[in-house]
Amino acid sequence: MRQLALSDDILLQVEQPARYIGNEFNSVIKNKEDIAIRFAMCFPDVYEIGMSHLGIQILYSLLNSFEDTWCERVYSPWPDLDKIMRDRKIPLFALESQEPVKDFDFLGITIQYEMCYTNILQILDLSGIPLLSKDRTKKDPIVIGGGPCTYNPEPIADFFDLFYIGEGETRYRELLDLYREWKNSGEERIVFLQKASQIPGIYVPGFYEEVYNEDWTIKERKKLYDKAPDMIHKEIVKDISHVHYPDKQVVPFIKVTQDRVVLEIQRGCIRGCRFCQAGELYRPVREKDPDVLLENAKTLIKNTGHEEISLSSLSSSDYKKLPQLLEQLMEFCHENHVNISLPSLRIDAFSLDVMKHVQDIKKSSVTFAPEAGSQRMRNVINKGLTHEDILNGAIMAFRGGWTRVKLYFMLGLPFETDEDIAGIGELANDIAAAFFDEIPKEQRREPVQIVASTSFFVPKPFTAFQWARMNTKEEFIDKAYKTRAGIHAQLNQKRIKYIWHEADLSELEGVLARGDRRLNKAILKVYESGGIFDAWSEYYDNERWLKAFEECGIDYTFYTNRERPVDEILPWDFLDCGVSKEFLLREWENARKESVTPNCKVQCNHCGAAKYGCGICFDARF
Amino acid sequence: MIENMDNNLQEQDPMAQKLSDLKEESLKQEKQVKEKIPVIKCRIKFAKYGVMKFIGHLDIMRFFQKVFRRSGIDIAYTEGFSPHQVMSFASPLAVGVCSNGEYLDVSLYSATTSQDMIDRMNAQSVEGIRILSFQQLPEKAEKAMSAVAAASYTVAFREDVKVRIPDLSKVVCDFYAQDSIIIEKQGKKTVSQLDLKEHIHELYEKDGSVYMLIDTGSVTHIKPMVIMEQLLTFAGITEKPEELFTVTREDTYLKQDDQLYPMNAFCTDFT
Ligand code: SF4
Ligand code: SF4
């Protein structure tokens, strides 16, 4: 039997010992002697969050499909265990073998949100790997980052040896082959990095340097290795139906956030909402063959024993063959006592009909994400959802027996006025009024309940709003109060509940999202003064960040509180995510003009992603 | 797209037809359940050991639900939107404790042989959970949860502690030979007295460890560590029992005509 890295005493002392013991069904154990490459795949947050991430499951399965490679999982030890490991000098270990991460060949870290940056340092530190890439030697694992945050990797560039830009399925084999060859040679670490920099999609931050102007803007990027590429182009899977998909997903013992089979039905989104980074990064939309999906679903349900399956995509309603897929899937699931969950479905007659069959109306709610309160503002952000759409959808839902409606909005969007904010309360009120108008008294099962929640808008790289000024914390809070006042002024205010999120975290997220290399020092300082789990409000300490910025001589408002001129060099300009800067600029202008851009299914807007030669750009339009 | 929704409403498209078929089908099935499809009541015995001792009771339940699904055992489901399997565990095991005799009741629509079902489940299990028997329960049997009356345990010295009780066999014997072993139990308001001796059915030394058969379950639930605490005091040792011992549950018992029997005593194999 495997020897656990932690003693019984420790495991009985910490919250949820199951986070650290591995042994889950479908986790992969290999014979060390047959293995050339040990790969530790890390999601730098607590187990329950990390285990829910589909991307890791895909890469885990892909890397383990290579005979010479053993991929294991690593998550952030929760603060209770973190403290014990530091006190007793226990090195961080991977779940499967329970062996120290430091002895691995690779440490891959998926970076899904900015607020996990200090957790990356926690992982490195607990592993005993030097925090800075430049201090590592041939003995240390190669630290490689992937995921959406790598589309502006500069604030964490010092901590990584490599970044993989784009979809993981395409280049790992090449990278591993290169590694094996280098490992057996007597060559220095830098030689491997040099060779890796020649692989498409691989970015070696150490081969570049940012040079700054007096006014803090970027003057230029200098190359420190002349063969390093000027531009890094994102990697993309062209035929998503026939790319590796895990036929077994690791089944956790404890309840995790995604406690179900996750079936990815397509990648990308046709919509082009101007605030949305995912909508740009994963272009073009590639739909998976419904027959392949059905096979995947059956295999996965059988191999995991999960009682629920969830369709995953940015916007499932846009999947062309959704009715066909759902029909077959529902039949299969019905026979096998499996529930279906359908997030990101647009509310319409079809989706309501489907939902009626797969969930309990009494316990569920219908969700709309208008993102902005007024039509004018929805045109600015290119959210093609009208007041009428929402009202009609809500009325249909009410007639179908639903009484709960959730509404999602953003505050602090570019060009926002007080009228736009007032629109949030008005829209919520109109929906409540529609309930009372449309549903006769005797048919009201319970009174209508509307929950309006707002988040604060954070501009992200590679969106039309990448140049936008972000609101200050004070402005955000002021807008939240206005939203609340607007709701309270409504006739049906008693039926509307308002929720908003903290402004501190949004502000910092804004700094990190569009920052440059000068932030590395500050992040390191925050970590050194005890900051971890910043994504968890109970551990987030705003003061710690402000102090670190000050000590590093960083005026963080430089990154957030100004509109950036369109000719300014942006920290992520050296990356090519497929969408051209010209297109984003056009969209930035269209936003200013409140002009709507049709989605990819209606017409091609020549964003640049057609160069990949796949997906929606080449599908017949209807 | 939203623009099409009115059309969707009017047209009776094949999808909608299919959906309403499905709905009828499920109504039919619900009715069947209400009319009670005959089910076969079963009792499963399993061992929990190794790293699985860190998995809590509720998660073990979830684990079993998935094992049943993966192994294709024809288990009965409840009706409604989220059908689930009905399971009854004999006695929840504390985190950190291993067991050679855990029991779980389920209902099946159909069964194969005991050996086949054991093999299928073990093939879908993990290291640390092993199915030992899978048998039919007599028609009138009480559910596992309410039937539990006692459990046996082996309490062993931890390998990493040095404390040992000299002449353990005699100490245990003398301890058990007392007329009564009174402990005070703190109730909500009052303090009551309990004679442990009445709840110990067997207590002796075995291979350097302490073996005990004691009352467990809904009537009187005695924890092995409570007995060990008294034993340590009796032996003049001041350490807390949690620091010295590990506990393994050996088997779980039901009571019939004032006699204790292992939980699967009246079960029969599927052949
Ligand atoms: S619909 Fe809009 S917000 Fe949603 S993923 Fe697509 S582009 Fe992003
Ligand atoms: S090239 Fe045209 S169709 Fe393709 S993703 Fe861009 S806008 Fe859409």
Side-chain angles (χ1 to χ4, degrees), chain B residues 110-126:
Chain B
S110 69
T112 61
T113 64
S114 289
Q115 195 55 50
D116 174 59
M117 293 192 287
I118 293 170
D119 291 346
R120 266 152 68 188
M121 285 185 74
N122 279 332
Q124 299 298 327
S125 186
V126 296

Side-chain angles (χ1 to χ4, degrees), chain A residues 8-9 23 25 253-254 259 271 304-307 330-331 336-337 339 347 357 359 389 396, chain B residues 1-2 5 15 18-19 26 51-55 59 62 66 69-70 77 81 124 126-127 158:
Chain A
D8 284 15
D9 278 336
N23 199 44
F25 193 74
F253 294 117
I254 50 175
D259 211 3
R271 302 264 148 198
T304 58
H306 278 307
E307 40 274 323
M330 281 168 72
E331 200 175 322
N336 291 279
H337 305 284
N339 298 321
I347 301 302
H357 288 83
Q359 52 183 238
D389 293 337
M396 271 191 284
Chain B
M1 284 284 312
I2 298 275
M5 68 193 164
M15 178 66 186
K18 185 80 203 174
L19 289 175
S26 79
V51 305
M52 291 306 285
K53 72 173 174 223
F54 296 109
I55 305 299
D59 294 324
R62 286 161 23 85
K66 293 181 206 287
R69 287 170 171 278
R70 290 194 292 261
Y77 283 82
F81 265 106
Q124 299 298 327
V126 296
E127 161 119 50
R158 281 169 48 158

Side-chain angles (χ1 to χ4, degrees), chain A residues 268-280 283 314-315 318 346 371 382-383:
Chain A
C269 177
I270 57 168
R271 302 264 148 198
C273 303
R274 294 182 180 127
F275 56 84
C276 176
Q277 190 188 33
E280 307 297 339
R283 280 183 179 223
L314 291 170
S315 169
D318 294 324
R346 203 161 301 113
E371 306 293 1
N382 207 41
K383 188 94 215 173

Side-chain angles (χ1 to χ4, degrees), chain B residues 3 8 26 46 88 92 113 127 130 174 179 187 191-192 202 206 217 224 260:
Chain B
E3 292 87 74
N8 270 345
S26 79
F46 66 96
S88 165
T113 64
E127 161 119 50
R130 209 174 158 69
D174 292 348
D179 290 339
V191 180
S192 61
E202 288 174 31
K206 190 183 171 189
L260 290 177

